[in-house]
């Protein structure tokens, strides 16, 4: 068939329209044709962080949240209650004994103020976290905490290598005041 003939021109026009439609569809797919912003990348990570910390508290098992953290022994983490922990093992054990074992329920919710700075394989985030806790004594606390986390991209996965959570003094006898 000759594209210059009257019969072929409809097919050529249809083919060009199909190609143009396919290009528009590909351009509309999220993440295609543009880089994902740090906000778009770390927003879901912060939501996962809150979900896993809440699940870890419900299970009374810090191992639930451990996939988010690098396991190097010398890393420093500051958890709720302003306690310093060296390495993930100490962090997990300390949070279990001081927080999980003293709380009937604990829930983390991400704030809407996430800020991200990314430089190559390292990024740091700051955000507020809403925390709701009911202590074994029955006392209920509802407060906002601030989290700063340093993340390192290891083998394509962002891992927390340092964390600092600031919060009001907590009323559990084993945590904070």
């Amino acid at each position: 068939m000759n594209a210059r003939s009257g019969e072929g021109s409809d097919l050529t026009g249809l083919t060009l329209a199909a190609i143009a439609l396919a290009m528009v569809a590909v351009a509309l797919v999220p993440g295609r044709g543009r880089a994902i912003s740090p906000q778009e990348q770390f927003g879901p990570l912060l939501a996962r962080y809150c979900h896993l910390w809440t699940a870890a508290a419900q299970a009374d098992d810090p191992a639930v949240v451990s996939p988010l953290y690098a396991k190097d022994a010398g890393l420093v983490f500051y958890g709720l209650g302003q306690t310093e922990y060296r390495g993930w093992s100490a962090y997990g054990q300390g949070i279990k004994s001081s927080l999980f074992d003293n709380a009937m329920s604990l829930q983390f919710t991400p704030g809407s103020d996430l800020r991200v700075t990314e430089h190559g394989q390292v990024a740091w985030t700051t955000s507020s976290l809403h925390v709701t806790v009911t202590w074994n004594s029955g006392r209920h606390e509802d407060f906002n905490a601030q989290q700063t986390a340093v993340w390192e991209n290891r083998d394509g996965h962002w891992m927390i290598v340092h964390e600092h959570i600031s919060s009001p003094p907590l009323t559990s006898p084993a945590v904070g005041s």
Side-chain angles (χ1 to χ4, degrees):
M1 184 180 340
N2 185 341
R4 292 177 192 231
S5 72
E7 292 176 18
S9 62
D10 287 339
L11 182 59
T12 303
L14 208 57
T15 302
L16 290 175
I19 291 171
L21 184 61
M23 290 174 66
V24 168
V26 168
L28 293 176
V29 173
R32 294 289 235 148
R34 67 174 178 82
I36 295 173
S37 75
Q39 293 293 117
E40 291 171 314
Q41 187 170 23
F42 282 90
L45 279 175
L46 181 61
R48 181 171 181 241
Y49 170 94
C50 289
H51 171 78
L52 288 177
W53 270 107
T54 300
Q58 289 172 345
D60 193 30
D61 184 5
V64 172
V65 76
S66 71
L68 293 174
Y69 291 85
K71 306 305 183 286
D72 309 32
L75 297 177
V76 176
F77 305 101
Y78 296 95
L80 286 173
Q82 311 305 317
T83 305
E84 177 183 317
Y85 301 97
R86 294 215 176 250
W88 166 253
S89 179
Y91 195 16
Q93 290 172 5
I95 290 297
K96 180 176 180 346
S97 65
S98 68
L99 190 60
F100 292 176
D101 290 351
N102 292 292
M104 287 192 292
S105 68
L106 180 65
Q107 181 176 358
F108 291 83
T109 306
S112 61
D113 58 348
L114 174 65
R115 292 185 183 200
V116 181
T117 304
E118 186 178 347
H119 287 284
Q121 299 299 309
V122 176
W124 55 95
T125 58
T126 60
S127 65
S128 61
L129 306 171
H130 187 78
V131 182
T132 304
V133 60
T134 302
W135 300 109
N136 291 338
S137 67
R139 179 162 165 59
H140 179 80
E141 288 190 72
D142 205 20
F143 60 91
N144 287 322
Q146 291 71 43
Q147 182 221 34
T148 300
V150 178
W151 304 74
E152 185 178 336
N153 192 327
R154 295 184 176 184
D155 299 322
H157 301 284
W158 287 102
M159 310 282 296
I160 298 173
V161 296
H162 174 74
E163 177 175 49
H164 189 124
I165 298 180
S166 299
S167 68
L170 302 177
T171 57
S172 167
V175 181
S177 58

